[in-house]
Amino acid sequence: MKMMEQIINETAGYVRDTLYNDSSGHDWWHVYRVWKTATKIACEEKANLIVVELAALLHDIADWKDNNGDTSVGSRVAYKWLCRFPDLDQSLIDEVCFIVENISFKGAGEKQGCLTLEGQIVQDADRLDAMGAIGIARTFAYGGKKGRLIYDPSVKSLGNMDQAAYVNNAGPTINHFYEKLLLLKDLMNTNYGKKMAKHRHALMEAFLTEFFEEWE
Ligand code: ADP
Ligand code: NI
């Protein structure tokens, strides 16, 4: 157990160093929150904690959206990192890397991949951090970083985008609520995720109502 703890700590240190200064909402504190939430859900669901913790820590180590849509870039970086620990079984490494490669939202028109319980848990924790007050803050940080407008009434939100349309979409940040964030509530996997998502969803709806009232 001591050895696993050390692997988790070293991995956390590596991710912290790599993502500390990210200003797109995928910074170390995002990963930290996902890690803690995922750990909590994993205990409730009696899931494999080591798989959940490593996948949560490594899930944003490299972003396919910043790498020409290469959806395996994150799992390749994660694989390389995990191979430095001779005590980790190959099957555990593969499990973690599969999660890293498959939890990301890739457009409302893409069907959801099949995930293990551990993957579903990390996905819920990641998606909860995209919702609510923190989710709102992260979304505008991401939009600013990508040079997007806050809102432009002449640009309509796009429904059912496939992966290519989703990654190339340069619409205003408010549209992202309709293209992804408001859909997450119904995509939750676990009971904890469903429960937490309700409140965070309501908060985003209240924010949007207020936003449009002020706009008018
Ligand atoms: P996932 O974890 O499913 O891969 P992303 O990395 O795509 O999710 O998104 C994480 C967060 O980054 C989103 O919840 C949102 O806050 C922000 N984000 C992603 N894409 C956009 C976008 N097109 N416009 C505004 N914010 C975005
Ligand atoms: Ni994330």
Side-chain angles (χ1 to χ4, degrees):
M1 202 54 227
K2 238 314 10 61
M3 173 198 60
M4 286 302 172
E5 222 174 279
Q6 196 180 333
I7 294 175
I8 299 280
N9 285 343
E10 273 185 48
T11 302
Y14 162 61
V15 177
R16 185 168 49 232
D17 290 349
T18 310
L19 297 180
Y20 205 86
N21 289 319
D22 174 281
S23 56
S24 75
H26 298 77
D27 55 289
W28 160 246
W29 291 113
H30 161 64
V31 175
Y32 179 84
R33 292 187 300 270
V34 172
W35 175 28
K36 295 299 156 186
T37 306
T39 302
K40 188 180 163 64
I41 307 177
C43 291
E44 266 188 22
E45 301 278 340
K46 303 192 179 16
N48 184 333
L49 205 52
I50 181 85
V51 171
V52 166
E53 289 196 63
L54 287 174
L57 283 167
L58 290 164
H59 85 276
D60 272 336
I61 197 66
D63 192 344
W64 62 279
K65 299 189 291 320
D66 292 334
N67 287 277
N68 301 316
D70 175 0
T71 50
S72 63
V73 64
S75 63
R76 280 205 311 278
V77 176
Y79 188 85
K80 193 158 169 231
W81 170 257
L82 293 173
C83 282
R84 66 195 277 125
F85 301 110
D87 292 316
L88 289 181
D89 283 349
Q90 188 60 42
S91 63
L92 185 144
I93 295 179
D94 290 343
E95 240 184 285
V96 171
C97 292
F98 181 84
I99 296 173
V100 172
E101 183 157 343
N102 290 287
I103 66 163
S104 189
F105 185 87
K106 300 190 176 82
E110 294 284 347
K111 75 170 175 6
Q112 299 260 10
C114 274
L115 290 168
T116 56
L117 171 66
E118 286 72 20
Q120 293 179 356
I121 288 170
V122 179
Q123 185 175 61
D124 277 10
D126 191 27
R127 289 181 169 177
L128 284 172
D129 208 59
M131 305 175 73
I134 288 179
I136 293 169
R138 292 181 63 221
T139 304
F140 286 100
Y142 185 98
K145 173 92 181 180
K146 300 283 168 166
R148 298 181 183 190
L149 291 185
I150 292 173
Y151 178 51
D152 179 346
S154 71
V155 182
K156 297 287 164 243
S157 302
L158 304 169
N160 283 334
M161 277 180 277
D162 64 13
Q163 192 176 315
Y166 182 72
V167 75
N168 292 320
N169 175 20
T173 298
I174 285 286
N175 293 15
H176 192 65
F177 286 84
Y178 301 95
E179 291 161 352
K180 172 183 175 188
L181 305 181
L182 294 172
L183 310 177
L184 296 178
K185 170 174 73 68
D186 294 329
L187 296 175
M188 288 289 154
N189 305 299
T190 63
N191 285 336
Y192 182 89
K194 287 175 191 160
K195 190 175 73 199
M196 296 297 285
K198 263 193 199 144
H199 175 76
R200 296 190 187 189
H201 181 89
L203 191 127
M204 293 192 294
E205 283 193 320
F207 165 77
L208 289 166
T209 303
E210 180 73 22
F211 183 95
F212 290 117
E213 264 173 35
E214 289 179 19
W215 190 275
E216 295 307 325

